[in-house]
Amino acid sequence: MKITELLNIDAIDLQPHVSSKQEAIEHMVDLLDQTGCLNDKEKYKESVLQREQQSTTGIGDGVAIPHGQSEGVAQAALGAMVVKEGLDFQALDGQPTYLFFMIAAPKEAGGVHLQALAKLSTLLMDESFRQALIQAPSKEAFKQLIDEKENEKTEVKQQVHPDVLAVTACPTGIAHTFMAAEALNQAGEKLNISIKVETNGQEGVKNGLTQDDIDHCKAIIVAADKKVEMARFEGENVIQVPVKDGISKAEELVKKAMNQEGVIYHHGQNEKEKINPIRIFYKHLMNGVSHALPFAVAGGVLYGVLHLCQNALANSTLLSVLAMIYQLLMLMIIPVLSGYIADSIADRPAMVSGFMGGLIVCQGMAVNTIPTWNGTFVPSLFVGIIAGFIAGYFSLLLKKLLSYLPSCLKGIEASLLHPVISTGVVMLVMIFLNPYLYYVHNGILNLVYQFEINTPTKILFGAVLGMMMAIDMGGPINKTAYVFGIGMIINHDYTTMAAIMAGGMVPPLVIALTATLKKNKWSGRRKEALMNYINGISFISEGAIPFMQENPQTVLTACCIGAAITGGLSMYFNCGIASPHGGLFLIWMVDYPLQYLISILAGTVIGSLLLLVLKSKKENS
């Protein structure tokens, strides 16, 4: 589909008489209507206005692309308009808009309007092209410029492979993954370097790198905090960094990749991570957490349902079945966690022993006692993590030892010898270590319970957890608190996770509230800042990162204090939640929901006011 195929010459106006955003929209709807592409002009205009209510389509740089998908559209079409003196279209950058395109798409047209929107956005990144359109002497010249630009783009795509490839991935696959991808794409555009970014998000791999891409690229950036498929990069120049660097250091990474400043990757020999044990530990742990998290969330929601219906539990077959499913889901968390930690360390051969190590932890098996799990024994996330690392590193050692086997036995190495030997050894080791590891586990639990018994220490404990969630917004400290909270859920302590989740909601809410209180607070990025209301109630702390980078010390101080207040109040009110994700969408599951909302509101308001004061002092100093 080409832009010029959608753009009718009669739907172009280079000298419109409009003086407001409303008039501009109505005039462009009229332009489209006179081409016969609309069967209900008012219904289509309503869809355009509804889209504008969500957020402005004035994308900045003097361009606006209002659009709508409606039953009032008979066939997909495009209109265009130039206002040479500029018009206030409430653009994201706060500047006047000169160039307007309006997209009309039928209700059942799939993503045709999104395709057109993506193509237009790409073409209009070129400032000289935008200026040429604004100065076009006639409708025919206007359309001809677009046709030439489209052909130019098509020709380049057919001849050139991306110079730089990238992969982004974070443990939850929600925010960091896509923020890093966007930052890398923007860096490539700014530096005029062709780039393709694969995302390993919650819905799986998107925009996957092909072998042809890999064979023709200069270098590959892997910005990931969990395991991604690396064997395909054998012999390529690779730069491996945490996913947060993909967000904050995107331009630097793209430049390094273009200059081939990475290392030649050999699968199983990651030189950079060998000298950074904390980084490699974190990566393996997060790979386990990312796979175990859906079990914890599903189990938590089921617990909420059962808790609400506890009076009917004994008399309901359905609720009894749900209770059994809940127990199975919670039981699966630790084997999945340990299995995927082992998989991250030593690939697929380690998964069997990792899963078995986790199951032994869940069963509480020890050298002198082998009990049957009956719902009263409480498994330990801490011990499960250790089981995963033992299984993974023993599998690495075993792989090295089995490499000396004669070639005639290589066929049974992966299918028989490795899983049998690794599983047997890990089982014996964990049965022996379990009692000692549980002493440590019980010591940690007793310490936590001591904190929670006394009000002053309980408030302090909640404040520390809340601050940990804000201090690096999705980084290692944040994830340490988060994993700890999941472990406490498994041990039926739900107040800890409530404080953690509440603290994690505060940073984006602080950003959004400051944008509400002071309209010019974020220098033309107010709309983006206001979107953090959604990030906040969704428990996506990462939404605050772009704003924190503008002024790290001030923003971080305000967010950390706000999150600490929220975490402390949540613990003080004994709020609890059994799910490790969901934010305020799961408020119905929270113990003392009103107090929970008060805690979040208090931290958000105090953090926002503090941010405004600190920002003002810094600007006046």
Side-chain angles (χ1 to χ4, degrees), residues 170-174 177-178 199-207 226 294:
C170 67
T172 55
I174 297 173
T177 299
F178 300 101
T199 56
N200 284 224
Q202 197 175 50
E203 296 181 354
V205 174
K206 301 292 183 183
N207 199 34
K226 70 172 187 176

Side-chain angles (χ1 to χ4, degrees), residues 3 27 39 76 89 95 116 122 129 170 180 203 349 356 396 445 548:
I3 297 299
H27 183 67
N39 54 33
F89 203 78
Q95 300 301 310
T122 303
F129 175 59
C170 67
E203 296 181 354
M356 285 305 302
L396 279 183
L445 285 183
M548 184 268 291

Side-chain angles (χ1 to χ4, degrees), residues 539-590:
F539 184 42
I540 300 177
S541 308
E542 294 90 333
I545 291 176
F547 302 90
M548 184 268 291
Q549 290 171 345
E550 290 183 10
N551 198 336
Q553 186 174 0
T554 301
V555 176
L556 203 57
T557 299
C559 288
C560 284
I561 291 175
I565 290 170
T566 291
L569 287 174
S570 176
M571 289 292 284
Y572 172 75
F573 289 129
N574 290 316
C575 301
I577 187 168
S579 174
H581 220 292
L584 292 183
F585 292 102
L586 297 182
I587 189 67
W588 55 274
M589 284 180 55
V590 176

